[in-house]
Amino acid sequence: MNATDRGVLDTSTLILLGRLADTSALPAEPLITAVTLAELSVGPLVAPSPRERAARQAHLQQAEADFEPLPFDAAAARSFGQVAASLRRAGRKPAARTHDAMIAAMAVAHGLPLHTCNPADFYEIDGLTVVAVPHPDQ
């Protein structure tokens, strides 16, 4: 498997993974980031019902079992500056999408494409290759 067969899934794509009808845009070796695990860990704590809490906890535990997340390391921190600057130049506020910007920075730092069902969240980020994954609800 070469580097082009690997790619980072953003949090929304990981959540929707089981519902995707068209998986052709997914990488052969999907990766997630520690930021995605952080986002998923919030879900059970803010769930509106015990049933939803259990479903979100199961999703988090499955992600933890299935993936070894990429860390937010020094290289990602340096890439984050580039990502934030790209967003500002595009007239977007990086603080409003901090988690997405951190995930993008990790993909850039590792030279990996980002596979997402929400490509508009990641456009105009210098150095980031965005792969649009068809959203199951569209």
Side-chain angles (χ1 to χ4, degrees):
M1 184 172 303
N2 63 46
T4 59
D5 296 329
R6 302 172 74 214
V8 175
L9 305 180
D10 77 324
T11 306
S12 65
T13 304
L14 179 64
I15 290 169
L16 294 169
L17 208 51
R19 295 182 46 217
L20 295 178
D22 180 1
T23 59
S24 62
L26 296 176
E29 183 183 349
L31 305 168
I32 66 168
T33 70
V35 174
T36 289
L37 282 184
E39 286 187 287
L40 290 177
S41 73
V42 174
L45 300 173
V46 299
S49 70
R51 181 179 175 163
E52 183 66 21
R53 184 177 305 110
R56 291 178 182 189
Q57 184 66 35
H59 199 87
L60 169 62
Q61 289 173 323
Q62 190 66 57
E64 290 174 330
D66 291 346
F67 296 94
E68 181 64 36
L70 296 172
F72 191 84
D73 57 12
R78 286 187 296 276
S79 291
F80 182 80
Q82 172 186 336
V83 168
S86 293
L87 291 170
R88 285 185 184 160
R89 280 192 298 274
R92 299 170 67 193
K93 296 180 180 179
R97 307 290 310 176
T98 301
H99 295 129
D100 287 344
M102 291 174 76
I103 291 168
M106 295 167 81
V108 170
H110 289 275
L112 296 168
L114 181 70
H115 298 255
T116 179
C117 292
N118 299 317
D121 292 348
F122 298 96
Y123 284 144
E124 299 193 44
I125 295 176
D126 295 340
L128 179 66
T129 300
V130 176
V131 178
V133 176
H135 197 289
D137 294 338
Q138 296 173 350

